[in-house]
Amino acid sequence: MKFTNLTRAEEIGANCYLLEADGGRVLIDSGMHPREVGALATPDFSVLGGRGFDAMVLTHAHQDHVGCLPLAMRLAPDAPVFMTEATAGLSEVMLHNSVNVMMRQREELSAPDLPLFSHREVERLADQWAVTGLGERFDVAGMTAEMFDAGHILGSTGVLFQAGGKRIFYTGDVNFEDQTLMRGAKFPEDGIDVLIMETTRGDSPVPEGVTRKTEETRFIGALQAALDAGSPVLIPVFALGKTQELLALLYEAKKRGDLRGGFGLFVGGLSAKITAVTDSLRGRAPRRHGDLKLAECLPMEVVGGRDIGQLPVKPRTVYAVSSGMMTENTLSNILAPKILEDSGAHCMFVGYSDPHSPAGRLRAAKEGEEVLLDPRRRPVRRKCKLDQFTLSAHSTRDGLLGYVKRAQPKKLLLVHGDPPAVAWFAREVPKVAPATQVIIPAPGVPVEL
Ligand SMILES: [Zn+2]
Ligand SMILES: [Zn+2]
């Protein structure tokens, strides 16, 4: 059996992997790099050597896993693509949105190769999607496979492959702890020969005493104080996952009386669409607060990309808008100058940001420092207050290390992390699993499993 990394660098980029056994070829995920544009944002499909693949497995609907699915499918138009029902519903919204983003980029960046695929292509793809339930065994390119709840976002999975007497488990993006909506992952721990594991937070130690619960309490307390002071509050969030978690968190806090008084709430157009899909899947995908209709749980207004520039920033109002990384041309990036230059305003981060993204630069900037949010505009001086909370949808590094310790795989492949994050696991794993061989799969180089 062989594993090949199609990501272009050791990073959280365009996640895509090839698993080969007995002549069968399975492609796992086909993401788009969140910071690159055009061909550089795609997985390196040249690694496939001009051959297609027999089937695909999609772990979840985040852009860095699903974004280049249409391009992968051009290489194997008849291959089935296995995913959960929620991933199918959410992927459709994400891919159509991606076409819209690329059409805008075509104009703004004079990039004639965009969009990389069309709305029609996305519509046709769905014919190949094989919706699979958690715990259902299915045959994929001659291997047996099974999906397990990864607790990351709605529909997210880790996948167990069995072939030639070996058990190979790919975590996808995972969270072992309960979030407000998602329940912690339920992953197999017995007889894993090869573990392919995400390492997103390997370089993010959690301070002593900090838990999900203490962070939720600290966040709601800070939000209440900001609203009491009449501040507008910007919370940059991912449209898929973090927005819905935040809505449920605010709703729960209001119900308990921890968050008091009325406040304005704006969410973005894509977030509203994804929230509607999430509501339509109530009772069909595992989550907590299964009956809660997120679109109706709090009074909120929807703001689109065309209106965000003119939107007046109001006191006692929460702007929970995407993207979480504050990427150029997204709602949070466009709204940011108005918030940043207002000493009475507040900016709150609630998840992971790539350190190289505008959000990463802002998080590193001290009060009074200038931050470059968009290279086409002047830097913005941060006068607003800024707070950071660890409410990530990814497992802590200790959570992942604990899983390796329980599973004791023969081989561990470290993926989906920046070099310092991967390096931390390479250093720590031998202490908890001394017999495990740790491998960092270099892009394009097959690893014998
Ligand atoms: Zn993800
Ligand atoms: Zn990811």
Side-chain angles (χ1 to χ4, degrees):
M1 295 183 85
K2 269 192 300 191
F3 173 91
T4 313
N5 184 359
L6 272 67
T7 306
R8 289 179 189 268
E10 188 188 318
E11 61 182 3
I12 307 172
N15 295 288
C16 185
Y17 311 102
L18 178 70
L19 188 60
E20 295 172 275
D22 299 330
R25 284 156 70 96
V26 185
L27 201 68
I28 308 169
D29 290 341
S30 178
M32 187 180 279
H33 198 299
R35 272 186 288 116
E36 302 286 355
V37 174
L40 281 179
T42 68
D44 184 3
F45 292 122
S46 72
V47 172
L48 296 173
R51 288 169 59 205
F53 45 87
D54 305 299
M56 246 192 98
V57 176
L58 182 61
T59 59
H60 68 289
H62 270 153
Q63 183 73 349
D64 62 321
H65 296 259
V66 72
C68 286
L69 181 69
L71 303 183
M73 294 307 296
R74 279 183 200 162
L75 305 170
D78 300 322
V81 188
F82 296 93
M83 65 185 88
T84 59
E85 183 189 16
T87 297
L90 295 167
S91 294
E92 221 176 314
V93 178
M94 294 299 280
L95 288 171
H96 280 299
N97 179 69
S98 180
V99 177
N100 295 339
V101 169
M102 288 189 285
M103 305 243 267
R104 246 188 0 246
Q105 287 175 330
R106 181 192 169 90
E107 306 282 308
E108 283 159 4
L109 309 173
S110 315
D113 59 332
L114 297 182
L116 295 174
F117 48 87
S118 67
H119 286 297
R120 275 198 61 195
E121 205 170 353
V122 174
E123 275 158 30
R124 280 201 304 265
L125 282 184
D127 295 342
Q128 292 305 113
W129 292 1
V131 167
T132 310
L134 296 174
E136 232 172 72
R137 293 215 171 168
F138 56 99
D139 182 81
V140 56
M143 302 175 222
T144 309
E146 185 178 343
M147 292 184 177
F148 292 78
D149 188 0
H152 170 63
I153 61 163
L154 200 73
S156 66
T157 57
V159 189
L160 180 67
F161 298 92
Q162 300 191 63
K166 282 204 176 116
R167 283 158 65 86
I168 292 135
F169 189 69
Y170 168 51
T171 62
D173 290 1
V174 54
N175 197 347
F176 292 103
E177 275 179 302
D178 284 355
Q179 304 178 59
T180 311
L181 277 183
M182 293 300 109
R183 287 201 183 93
K186 287 178 195 66
F187 276 178
E189 295 176 359
D190 294 332
I192 308 278
D193 295 294
V194 181
L195 179 61
I196 304 158
M197 189 175 84
E198 70 121 314
T199 55
T200 310
R201 291 176 67 194
D203 197 30
S204 312
V206 180
E208 192 75 29
V210 169
T211 65
R212 171 97 196 173
K213 200 78 230 143
T214 62
E215 284 299 272
E216 280 181 8
T217 307
R218 196 168 69 84
F219 167 65
I220 294 297
L223 183 58
Q224 181 73 58
L227 295 173
D228 286 347
S231 300
V233 181
L234 171 63
I235 308 179
V237 279
F238 289 109
L240 169 54
K242 194 46 66 74
T243 297
Q244 293 74 39
E245 287 285 346
L246 182 68
L247 291 175
L249 181 60
L250 296 179
Y251 166 79
E252 283 292 304
K254 256 198 110 44
K255 202 171 75 174
R256 281 196 311 269
D258 293 345
L259 193 57
R260 297 168 302 279
F263 58 89
L265 174 60
F266 282 89
V267 298
L270 174 63
S271 303
K273 268 189 213 162
I274 289 166
T275 303
V277 174
T278 304
D279 283 343
S280 74
L281 288 160
R282 275 178 313 145
R284 303 172 71 126
R287 63 169 241 209
R288 306 168 74 209
H289 310 297
D291 290 333
L292 185 62
K293 266 196 177 172
L294 295 165
E296 296 168 13
C297 71
L298 293 164
M300 67 186 93
E301 289 178 66
V302 178
V303 57
R306 282 200 191 88
D307 305 323
I308 191 80
Q310 283 75 48
L311 191 73
V313 168
K314 294 191 242 173
R316 253 191 107 75
T317 301
V318 175
Y319 300 87
V321 289
S322 70
S323 73
M325 305 269 189
M326 301 178 80
T327 310
E328 293 85 356
N329 291 313
T330 61
L331 302 189
S332 58
N333 186 292
I334 296 167
L335 188 67
K338 285 186 194 167
I339 298 282
L340 262 58
E341 289 177 335
D342 177 354
S343 59
H346 216 119
C347 183
M348 296 185 185
F349 288 98
V350 291
Y352 171 84
S353 311
D354 182 330
H356 308 291
S357 66
R361 290 197 291 273
L362 173 55
R363 291 170 84 148
K366 296 196 177 61
E367 197 170 331
E369 270 181 18
E370 285 195 333
V371 187
L372 186 66
L373 295 171
D374 186 331
R376 295 165 308 168
R377 298 200 195 99
R378 64 176 174 81
V380 180
R381 196 172 296 283
R382 170 167 94 75
K383 295 180 188 157
C384 75
K385 292 184 197 66
L386 192 147
D387 271 313
Q388 313 196 33
F389 305 91
T390 307
L391 298 166
S392 177
H394 289 271
S395 169
T396 62
R397 62 188 194 177
D398 298 308
L400 285 163
L401 199 62
Y403 179 57
V404 175
K405 188 178 177 184
R406 294 192 299 280
Q408 295 288 323
K410 294 193 182 76
K411 290 183 181 175
L412 173 67
L413 276 60
L414 299 171
V415 297
H416 199 286
D418 291 327
V422 170
W424 183 83
F425 282 101
R427 252 194 335 268
E428 296 300 316
V429 164
K431 298 178 191 165
V432 300
T436 297
Q437 184 190 354
V438 179
I439 299 165
I440 300 165
V445 182
V447 176
E448 198 64 50
L449 298 181

